[in-house]
Amino acid sequence: AAIRRSSGDFVLSVDSDTTLASDVITKLAVKMRDPMVGAAMGQLTAYNRSDTWLTRLIDMEYWLACNEERAAQGRFGAVMCCCGPCAMYRRSCLLSLLDQYETQLFRGKPSDFGEDRHLTILMLKAGFRTEYVSGAVAATVVPDKMGPYLRQQLRWARSTFRDTMLARGLLRGLDRYLTLDVMGENLGPLLLGIAVVTALGDLLVSHTVNWWTVLAIVTMTIIRS
């Protein structure tokens, strides 16, 4: 409704449990001065970082996701997901994509998850750049118990795999680093799961630790980092 009725140039996406630093809008708007930039996201931190060991780990995860993954993608003008808690969009771009955005289907049913990643992919497919602004900091409330955290991660994983299919043709027009990054994001968890299950199976059958598997997991983790 805001996109259709607004008369402004930009639309800010922010979650109801997110607190923005006082200069967030200014810093995102500076990045949007380039007419080819369709969207820009800020840096996310955990508002409730000090609550539990889990929230502290999530805060660290957010730092890595923003200042390593998104920052690297931003160097090529193709942040693959401008996260919902803090992102600014060019309204004229949104209007041209709104019909596709509102009618997204997954396996024949209306999709109701991963809308930020989906919108970002549509923006890139339309030929616009997506950027990351590390100085625009937003603190968002994160899950403090394992149950809600795992449900959140399941939604995000489904969104990642689904929209990777949408982005297949897009990758050909982007830097090859983005192809490597997307492959790592999708194949990495799958290969890790297979390796862990294989190692546990080997341990149960032979009662010995397969150190080659452990070494492979550690090596791939270091390479990805």
Side-chain angles (χ1 to χ4, degrees):
I3 294 167
R4 292 191 189 281
R5 298 173 186 171
S6 170
S7 59
D9 294 328
F10 307 125
V11 175
L12 182 71
S13 165
V14 57
D15 284 354
S16 59
D17 60 1
T18 299
T19 303
L20 301 180
S22 60
D23 58 356
V24 163
I25 294 176
T26 301
K27 289 184 174 179
L28 291 177
V30 168
K31 181 68 73 171
M32 301 293 289
R33 287 176 180 170
D34 183 344
M36 290 309 298
V37 174
M41 68 164 283
Q43 179 181 177
L44 302 182
T45 63
Y47 181 84
N48 52 334
R49 178 187 187 280
S50 59
D51 285 2
T52 67
W53 62 270
L54 179 60
T55 57
R56 287 192 288 273
L57 285 175
I58 293 174
D59 185 67
M60 188 184 302
E61 179 188 17
Y62 279 14
W63 192 94
L64 292 169
C66 290
N67 294 298
E68 290 192 351
E69 181 182 284
R70 285 346 187 254
Q73 294 170 352
R75 289 185 66 87
F76 304 101
V79 172
M80 301 304 287
C81 178
C82 290
C83 299
C86 181
M88 182 175 283
Y89 296 93
R90 190 174 303 279
R91 182 170 170 267
S92 59
C93 303
L94 287 179
L95 287 172
S96 68
L97 300 171
L98 211 51
D99 289 340
Q100 296 179 66
Y101 181 54
E102 290 181 323
T103 57
Q104 183 190 16
L105 300 177
F106 180 60
R107 301 180 67 182
K109 297 180 180 178
S111 180
D112 60 357
F113 61 90
E115 67 284 347
D116 49 2
R117 180 178 291 273
H118 180 63
L119 183 55
T120 306
I121 297 298
L122 290 179
M123 194 72 70
L124 289 169
K125 290 186 71 174
F128 296 101
R129 295 170 59 90
T130 54
E131 301 279 358
Y132 170 65
V133 183
S134 61
V137 181
T140 187
V141 176
V142 301
D144 58 1
K145 293 183 175 61
M146 283 301 295
Y149 174 71
L150 291 175
R151 287 193 294 273
Q152 177 199 65
Q153 293 300 303
L154 178 60
R155 290 196 310 274
W156 289 3
R158 291 169 66 196
S159 169
T160 298
F161 291 127
R162 179 199 65 196
D163 285 302
T164 294
M165 302 299 291
L166 181 66
R168 283 180 304 173
L170 167 69
L171 292 173
R172 288 195 294 269
L174 300 176
D175 190 275
R176 284 178 292 180
Y177 170 79
L178 275 306
T179 300
L180 177 65
D181 184 73
V182 170
M183 287 177 61
E185 187 175 16
N186 285 271
L187 295 180
L190 177 63
L191 295 175
L192 176 62
I194 292 172
V196 170
V197 170
T198 302
L200 290 175
D202 196 43
L203 178 63
L204 291 174
V205 172
S206 64
H207 303 290
T208 59
V209 177
N210 189 331
W211 291 108
W212 284 110
T213 302
V214 175
L215 179 61
I217 292 173
V218 172
T219 301
M220 290 304 297
T221 302
I222 291 173
I223 289 173
R224 189 177 191 282
S225 296

